[in-house]
């Protein structure tokens, strides 16, 4: 067999094997604080791998197009667990059925699904992912449908990306709209927390955005005390170390706000303080044995860190399809950091952030010289680029004890 044919055959085998390589053993029981500790992902957790993912379909398409290298990369990408998004495009009854179907698939594979609830009214402040339920009542009914589908299955729930960090008060909304948003998130937390094995995490933006105190106050007002904790960096590119530091500060600040008479958000040391000063402030205000909310980090696209454009744009939109990014830390609940429950791939690698123009006219993205796909649309070129620039380098996700 010639060398090119050997490469194609190897890629074909890799694509076929990708679906079979990713069925690790069931997770062990989790440990942690009393805030949903028995529900949360713990060491050894196996997250759900979609055996019909866009990445695996892209692997087949690449192979048919005579590109075994990209096919192999997409087969590797498709071997990893990625969150499943529920966007409110179905009725509550249909949502229950879709969730129950996902739970059945995950159970057959002995895995824990990570699901995203993304349907709050006025989501994304009328930007690229605008939409959501029409009313608070409609949203509550949809959340109830989602919860019913979860049932008693262990599930990680990422509740409303941007739902708090980009809530109405921070994008020109009224006081009433902000009050409604907080009530909607509180209601969703309460309903989802009724499911005995659902670990619910609330939106906390990322380390390059809201100050620690502002974010902690939003979490407290959103009901984080009834959730497992919060999530960071969904659809963004901040580095793991910065996110862990920020998440730890936010967790401690929530304790301070809820246990200190007269406390206000601005009291808390934030991520922009000198590190030594911030550490000293928290050491002096938070007991070492304080029970704190935990958090998870979306590391799906932060392998190369945040983007600094080489060109000058009226509005760089550094969060929107930045070039040169890569896959980051692989999904795992074995983090080695007490408050960090897991690294997850929440944003689907290869799906566009939106039709970015970076403040220019003409409808094209000057970084690419063409129009970006709509938010959530699959973008093969981006998927290939993320895989090529992955840090660490992309390999197959294999069950524990399997030799690569």
């Amino acid at each position: 067999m010639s060398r090119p044919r050997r490469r194609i055959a190897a890629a074909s085998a890799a694509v076929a094997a990708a679906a079979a390589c990713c069925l690790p053993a069931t997770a062990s029981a989790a440990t942690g604080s009393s805030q949903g500790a028995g529900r949360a992902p713990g060491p050894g957790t196996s997250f759900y791998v979609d055996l019909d993912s866009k990445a695996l379909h892209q692997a087949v398409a690449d192979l048919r197009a005579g590109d075994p290298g990209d096919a192999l990369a997409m087969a590797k990408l498709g071997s990893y667990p990625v969150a499943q998004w529920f966007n409110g495009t179905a009725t509550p009854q249909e949502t229950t059925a879709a969730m129950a179907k996902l739970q059945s698939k995950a159970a057959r594979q002995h895995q824990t699904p990570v699901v995203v609830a993304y349907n709050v009214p006025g989501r994304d402040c009328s930007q690229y992912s605008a939409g959501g339920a029409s009313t608070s009542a409609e949203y509550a009914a949809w959340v109830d449908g989602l919860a019913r589908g979860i049932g008693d299955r262990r599930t990680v729930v990422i509740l409303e990306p941007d739902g708090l960090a980009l809530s109405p008060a921070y994008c020109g909304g009224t006081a009433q709209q902000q009050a409604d948003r907080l009530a909607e998130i509180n209601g969703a937390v309460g309903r989802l927390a009724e499911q005995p094995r659902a670990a619910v995490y609330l939106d906390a933006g990322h380390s390059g955005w809201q100050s620690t105190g502002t974010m902690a106050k939003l979490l407290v007002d959103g009901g984080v005390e009834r959730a497992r904790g919060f999530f960071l960096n969904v659809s963004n590119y901040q580095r793991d170390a910065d996110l862990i530091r920020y998440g730890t500060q936010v967790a401690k600040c929530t304790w301070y706000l809820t246990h200190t008479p007269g406390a206000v958000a601005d009291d808390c040391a934030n991520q922009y303080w000198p590190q030594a000063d911030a550490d000293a402030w928290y050491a002096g205000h938070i007991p070492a044995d304080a029970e704190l909310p935990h958090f998870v980090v979306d590391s799906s696209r932060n392998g190369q860190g945040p983007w600094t454009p080489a060109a000058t744009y009226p509005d760089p939109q550094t969060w929107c399809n930045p070039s040169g990014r890569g896959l980051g830390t692989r999904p795992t609940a074995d983090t080695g950091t007490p408050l960090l429950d897991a690294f997850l791939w929440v944003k689907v690698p290869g799906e566009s952030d939106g039709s970015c123009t970076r403040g220019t006219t003409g409808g094209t993205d000057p970084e690419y010289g063409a129009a970006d796909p709509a938010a959530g649309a699959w973008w093969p070129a981006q998927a290939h680029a993320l895989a090529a620039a992955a840090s660490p380098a992309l390999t197959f996700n294999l069950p524990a004890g399997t030799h690569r």
Side-chain angles (χ1 to χ4, degrees):
M1 186 182 297
S2 68
R3 186 170 297 171
R5 288 180 128 185
R6 285 195 191 101
R7 286 201 303 267
I8 292 173
S12 299
V15 172
C21 78
C22 314
L23 304 177
T26 307
S28 60
T31 59
S33 76
S34 62
Q35 297 186 57
R39 314 167 182 220
T45 297
S46 298
F47 296 113
Y48 172 71
V49 177
D50 184 1
L51 303 183
D52 191 34
S53 68
K54 293 177 181 179
L56 291 178
H57 281 276
Q58 186 64 49
V60 174
D62 290 339
L63 193 61
R64 288 174 175 168
D67 189 346
D70 277 342
L72 184 59
M74 292 299 96
K76 291 175 181 176
L77 174 58
S79 73
Y80 285 90
V82 177
Q84 305 295 300
W85 287 64
F86 287 75
N87 298 322
T89 55
T91 67
Q93 295 76 19
E94 292 168 339
T95 298
T96 298
M99 177 61 77
K101 183 177 180 181
L102 170 61
Q103 295 292 341
S104 294
K105 289 180 180 178
R108 287 196 297 271
Q109 296 174 199
H110 306 292
Q111 294 174 334
T112 297
V114 178
V115 303
V116 180
Y118 193 52
N119 190 36
V120 74
R123 74 181 185 209
D124 201 32
C125 282
S126 300
Q127 297 188 97
Y128 294 126
S129 296
S134 299
T135 65
S136 296
E138 181 182 303
Y139 180 63
W142 180 81
V143 170
D144 180 68
L146 200 71
R148 290 177 183 274
I150 290 172
D152 62 357
R153 300 286 193 181
R154 186 185 297 276
T155 307
V156 173
V157 182
I158 304 298
L159 181 60
E160 299 299 342
D162 294 334
L164 292 176
L166 194 62
S167 50
Y170 301 93
C171 62
T174 66
Q176 185 58 56
Q177 288 172 324
Q178 181 69 8
D180 290 345
R181 172 63 60 84
L182 294 174
E184 289 154 358
I185 298 296
N186 264 284
V189 172
R191 178 61 188 91
L192 290 164
E194 292 177 10
Q195 306 313 121
R197 303 179 77 198
V200 183
Y201 297 87
L202 278 64
D203 172 48
H206 59 73
S207 54
W209 194 357
Q210 302 285 11
S211 72
T212 299
T214 297
M215 199 65 251
K217 182 64 163 61
L218 285 166
L219 286 167
V220 170
D221 292 345
V224 74
E225 286 191 284
R226 292 175 292 128
R228 171 62 178 175
F230 53 91
F231 59 84
L232 298 170
N233 205 48
V234 168
S235 299
N236 213 273
Y237 303 85
Q238 307 302 309
R239 294 189 183 278
D240 291 347
D242 294 333
L243 293 162
I244 292 171
R245 180 167 182 78
Y246 177 69
T248 301
Q249 286 187 353
V250 169
K252 291 180 177 180
C253 187
T254 63
W255 187 95
Y256 174 80
L257 293 176
T258 53
H259 291 78
T260 308
V264 296
D266 287 344
D267 291 345
C268 291
N270 64 50
Q271 71 270 40
Y272 304 112
W273 281 34
Q275 182 170 325
D277 292 348
D279 289 348
W281 189 92
Y282 284 106
H285 291 83
I286 313 299
D289 61 351
E291 187 173 282
L292 306 175
H294 287 217
F295 59 95
V296 295
V297 164
D298 182 359
S299 58
S300 59
R301 304 183 300 174
N302 70 347
Q304 299 297 329
W307 180 53
T308 301
T312 300
Y313 299 118
D315 178 4
Q317 295 181 297
T318 56
W319 53 270
C320 192
N321 297 329
S323 60
R325 302 308 89 195
L327 303 168
T329 300
R330 308 301 182 252
T332 180
D334 301 302
T335 70
T337 299
L339 291 181
L340 177 60
D341 283 346
F343 289 102
L344 303 172
W345 285 3
V346 180
K347 171 71 176 183
V348 179
E351 287 189 359
S352 175
D353 293 320
S355 302
C356 326
T357 62
R358 314 202 187 278
T360 63
T361 59
T364 63
D365 185 341
E367 275 296 300
Y368 302 100
D372 299 346
W378 180 251
W379 191 358
Q382 187 190 77
H384 293 148
L386 289 169
S391 180
L394 189 59
T395 58
F396 275 108
N397 174 35
L398 300 176
T402 302
H403 295 291
R404 295 187 185 277

